[in-house]
Amino acid sequence: MYCKSCNILTSEEICPQCGKETQIDIPIEIYWCSHCNSPIIKLITDKDKNECPQCGKKTKYLTKDLRPVFPQEKRLIEKLIEKPFAWKNKSVWCNENRYYIDGKSLSINFKQYNNYGIDGIKDWVLNEENLADDSFYKDIENFCLINRERLASIENEAFEFIRIEASKYSLEQLLISFSGGKDSTVVADLVKRALSNPFLVHIYGDTTLEFPLSYEYLARYKKDNPKTIIKIAKNKEQNFYDVCEDIGPPARMMRWCCTMFKTGPITRAINQLFRDKKILTFYGIRKSESISRSKYDRVADGADVKIQKQTVASPIFYWNDLDIWLYLFSNEVDFNDAYRLGYDRVGCWCCPNNNVRAQFLSKIYMPEQHKKWREYLVSFAKSIGKPDPEEYVDGGWWKARQGGNGLKAAEDVKIKFTNCTAEENAKIYSLIKPIDETFYELFIPFGNVSKDLGRKLIKEVLVLDVATNVPIISIQPFINNDFEYSVKVKTMNVASHEDLQRMIGYQIRKYNACRQCLKCESVCTFGAITINKFGYHIASEKCKHCKKCVSTKYLTGGCLMDRFLKVKKEK
């Protein structure tokens, strides 16, 4: 354990010196040995961190983390700075946009290359003659040799963690989340080695927005691991661009694409594979990746995970980027070739979280996709009234948008109602379409829906409390001059009418605004909710009335579309 305040190691969970809570992970720093011309991973508590373990000579502090720069990226940067082959036989590493050439730093601002002519760059970078005779792999071999003790340490800790967590489940309850990125590649290799089992099920979420090189890597992985079961999860019912036209492009704080094209399809695949079993999923999440991920737990379940059926365990939670590369190179593990081009992440190629370098790389290596996406974004900017749509797109402002300003679909998330003057605790809600069977199914989480006990003359449907069988909700189709389609919903025999009506409002919103985002399917632990082009369905025989699907703990506003389409005042 490590105390950040005192900068000491201890075996106690509470620091014996200051009394503060200790942490399991010990931060690392990267030092540079000029003699060995290589980065060295050191714990900040190491007393000999200024000394190279290979040659014994003095080292200097470099940065907090690094990634390797492959020959392909070297050729690209050399082209941009107009110094061809200047880095050919140099040891080059990178942290964000700061490059280290034989230990000396150089900052590259990719924004200045936004209008750089890209004709011929791809052919230049990938020319085999230009990539030949580079010292890259000799530098990597040296890096692995110097940091072998660090590798042994993190490997052994990960193996122990995996075995302990896996021992709580049967082999039939284990799953590996495999994205094709470097982190999930390492996790898959670690888990198979730790458990000596090549047959473990992998699940790959095909968002339809993956890098072409990711699909190539997946094909290689299948070929190299013939015993491994790989389940592909894909949303075959929706098209990304069609959804964008309806609710706008995803943004940093509104990444509806993750739920609709990844988490949702993965949930369906998990339900199909494991039915009602609780499962343990090994994930490639790392604490150092982002501020949000630094708040995660290494083992998580319940409201802390996106798919309620699973517990998530992260063997590489405390690893840094350079640890990942140390593992891959040392164990000769194949990985996604997109990293060779300079990408530092390989999720969706058009993700709003991608940095400027990633956008520039896609412009070079995926010109057709890049052009189509930019043209759509410009068109979207015009449709919502942006005065300078191209600046809005090229400046990255589309990534920061919040809410449904300028979108017709924004009207669907507004819960429109009037209080009934004739009956207490009754509201008349506005619907965007006539009532059908799926509308009544939305009330199943509250209790048992009965059409037989309601007053047939007014087509009343009652919802009965599951414990007492007493009516708690009355649903009546209603003619209202203010609304084209209306329903009167009255609550009764409950402690808090306000709370129940608020949750009912959430279900009204879903009826009006559902875009098949599949979030509710992920929230339901029991597989009672299914969403398709025919509507939002809740199976009464599967529903346990846990009310997670109408709880703001799991769904703010009761519906994911509320977050994406609610109109907010622009600053």
Side-chain angles (χ1 to χ4, degrees):
M1 308 296 285
Y2 169 70
C3 178
K4 184 177 181 180
S5 299
C6 302
N7 193 27
I8 62 169
L9 293 174
T10 174
S11 60
E12 304 297 325
E13 293 184 0
I14 301 297
C15 177
Q17 288 191 17
C18 67
K20 293 183 179 180
E21 187 176 348
T22 56
Q23 58 192 56
I24 191 172
D25 60 319
I26 306 172
I28 68 168
E29 296 173 327
I30 311 299
Y31 284 74
W32 185 267
C33 177
S34 297
H35 181 263
C36 297
N37 208 31
S38 178
I40 303 167
I41 305 171
K42 292 281 189 177
L43 302 177
I44 65 170
T45 53
D46 285 347
K47 295 180 180 179
D48 63 344
K49 57 186 176 183
N50 290 317
E51 182 180 301
C52 176
Q54 182 74 4
C55 67
K57 294 190 176 180
K58 189 175 181 180
T59 62
K60 66 174 182 178
Y61 172 79
L62 199 65
T63 183
K64 290 185 177 181
D65 205 0
L66 279 180
R67 66 173 178 83
V69 175
F70 291 84
Q72 292 88 336
E73 187 180 359
K74 286 185 185 181
R75 298 296 88 83
L76 172 63
I77 305 299
E78 292 164 352
K79 186 76 171 175
L80 297 179
I81 63 176
E82 299 181 347
K83 293 182 179 179
F85 303 109
W87 297 356
K88 187 168 185 178
N89 291 307
K90 296 183 182 296
S91 182
V92 185
W93 304 77
C94 183
N95 184 14
E96 296 182 348
N97 287 334
R98 184 165 293 278
Y99 289 79
Y100 296 89
I101 307 96
D102 287 346
K104 297 177 182 178
S105 70
L106 174 68
S107 180
I108 302 289
N109 182 2
F110 280 85
K111 285 186 178 180
Q112 71 187 77
Y113 299 109
N114 271 344
N115 297 319
Y116 192 96
I118 63 169
D119 290 344
I121 289 185
K122 181 177 179 180
D123 293 336
W124 162 265
V125 169
L126 301 182
N127 185 296
E128 292 186 6
E129 291 184 4
N130 292 343
L131 297 175
D133 300 324
D134 198 289
S135 63
F136 176 81
Y137 289 103
K138 290 181 181 178
D139 295 333
I140 292 300
E141 184 178 354
N142 193 38
F143 160 69
C144 293
L145 182 63
I146 293 174
N147 292 281
R148 58 190 180 279
E149 290 185 10
R150 169 66 178 176
L151 176 65
S153 173
I154 59 176
E155 270 189 350
N156 291 335
E157 193 281 333
F159 288 152
E160 182 181 8
F161 171 80
I162 291 166
R163 289 168 186 144
I164 289 173
E165 295 305 318
S167 68
K168 303 171 186 177
Y169 297 79
S170 68
L171 286 175
E172 291 74 26
Q173 293 174 280
L174 301 182
L175 180 67
I176 296 174
S177 179
F178 185 75
S179 69
K182 65 184 189 306
D183 295 348
S184 68
T185 295
V186 168
V187 167
D189 197 68
L190 281 168
V191 173
K192 287 187 291 184
R193 289 176 63 196
L195 302 180
S196 300
N197 190 338
F199 298 97
L200 294 172
V201 178
H202 293 38
I203 193 160
Y204 180 88
D206 181 359
T207 62
T208 71
L209 303 169
E210 309 296 320
F211 287 89
L213 289 172
S214 295
Y215 292 119
E216 291 179 17
Y217 174 58
L218 178 63
R220 288 203 311 272
Y221 191 87
K222 288 180 177 179
K223 183 178 179 181
D224 295 340
N225 299 272
K227 296 179 181 179
T228 299
I229 301 169
I230 300 178
K231 178 71 175 178
I232 307 295
K234 183 177 180 179
N235 186 339
K236 299 178 181 179
E237 298 169 355
Q238 306 215 71
N239 176 275
F240 174 71
Y241 276 97
D242 289 344
V243 181
C244 287
E245 291 288 350
D246 180 27
I247 64 176
R252 287 195 186 102
M253 302 303 293
M254 302 178 1
R255 286 181 291 138
W256 51 259
C257 45
C258 291
T259 302
M260 192 175 294
F261 289 93
K262 190 168 186 178
T263 306
I266 288 176
T267 299
R268 288 179 168 179
I270 287 175
N271 287 336
Q272 183 182 30
L273 287 168
F274 298 98
R275 303 297 178 186
D276 295 330
K277 292 180 182 177
K278 282 287 286 183
I279 63 170
L280 176 68
T281 303
F282 288 105
Y283 259 50
I285 292 175
R286 291 189 291 114
K287 185 178 180 180
S288 63
E289 284 185 283
S290 64
I291 294 175
S292 61
R293 292 196 171 190
S294 68
K295 299 174 183 177
Y296 289 3
D297 292 324
R298 196 179 190 186
V299 180
D301 58 12
D304 295 327
V305 299
K306 295 179 180 179
I307 301 173
Q308 292 299 295
K309 190 184 289 290
Q310 66 180 356
T311 295
V312 171
S314 306
I316 59 171
F317 190 65
Y318 301 115
W319 292 27
N320 279 33
D321 230 29
L322 197 54
D323 290 327
I324 296 293
W325 288 109
L326 176 61
Y327 183 93
L328 289 169
F329 288 132
S330 298
N331 292 291
E332 298 182 350
V333 178
D334 185 23
F335 54 86
N336 194 318
D337 286 333
Y339 294 111
R340 300 180 188 274
L341 303 180
Y343 291 100
D344 50 16
R345 63 184 302 273
V346 292
C348 299
W349 71 267
C350 57
C351 179
N353 278 346
N354 285 348
N355 55 31
V356 176
R357 181 181 62 249
Q359 292 172 215
F360 182 69
L361 292 174
S362 294
K363 184 178 179 181
I364 295 171
Y365 298 111
M366 303 173 60
E368 292 181 6
Q369 294 97 320
H370 180 273
K371 181 182 178 182
K372 180 179 179 181
W373 180 233
R374 185 181 180 278
E375 287 176 348
Y376 160 72
L377 290 174
V378 171
S379 173
F380 168 75
K382 291 178 180 178
S383 72
I384 60 173
K386 295 299 177 183
D388 191 344
E390 294 200 356
E391 171 59 26
Y392 177 77
V393 173
D394 295 337
W397 300 109
W398 64 274
K399 299 178 181 181
R401 77 179 189 93
Q402 296 185 42
N405 295 65
L407 293 171
K408 181 181 178 182
E411 289 296 312
D412 294 346
V413 299
K414 297 177 182 178
I415 302 175
K416 300 175 183 177
F417 69 91
T418 58
N419 291 313
C420 180
T421 56
E423 291 186 83
E424 192 177 2
N425 302 318
K427 293 183 178 181
I428 300 169
Y429 289 95
S430 169
L431 307 178
I432 66 169
K433 56 187 176 182
I435 291 178
D436 62 19
E437 190 62 32
T438 63
F439 179 81
Y440 295 111
E441 288 181 17
L442 288 167
F443 288 80
I444 290 174
F446 304 119
N448 297 319
V449 177
S450 173
K451 292 184 177 180
D452 297 330
L453 297 178
R455 291 167 287 179
K456 292 180 173 54
L457 187 63
I458 58 173
K459 299 181 179 179
E460 180 185 37
V461 174
L462 294 177
V463 180
L464 313 178
D465 183 84
V466 292
T468 63
N469 221 29
V470 171
I472 57 172
I473 300 173
S474 167
I475 308 167
Q476 303 170 34
F478 196 82
I479 299 174
N480 188 299
N481 293 329
D482 296 329
F483 306 140
E484 183 177 2
Y485 305 112
S486 308
V487 63
K488 181 166 72 174
V489 182
K490 179 182 178 181
T491 56
M492 61 195 88
N493 303 316
V494 293
S496 175
H497 295 277
E498 183 180 347
D499 288 346
L500 184 53
Q501 282 286 4
R502 183 179 64 254
M503 290 188 287
I504 289 169
Y506 294 160
Q507 299 301 76
I508 300 293
R509 174 176 288 138
K510 287 171 185 171
Y511 190 69
N512 285 342
C514 182
R515 257 62 182 186
Q516 303 172 40
C517 78
L518 308 184
K519 176 65 176 178
C520 293
E521 287 192 14
S522 302
V523 167
C524 184
T525 310
F526 308 103
I529 300 174
T530 56
I531 305 162
N532 53 41
K533 62 182 178 181
F534 300 109
Y536 185 114
H537 298 279
I538 302 178
S540 58
E541 68 277 9
K542 293 183 179 180
C543 180
K544 306 299 180 184
H545 312 288
C546 66
K547 295 186 178 66
K548 285 183 179 179
C549 60
V550 290
S551 168
T552 54
K553 182 178 180 181
Y554 298 92
L555 272 172
T556 303
C559 174
L560 207 61
M561 288 302 114
D562 181 57
R563 178 183 169 192
F564 299 141
L565 293 174
K566 182 183 289 184
V567 174
K568 298 182 180 181
K569 293 182 180 180
E570 294 186 330
K571 296 181 181 179

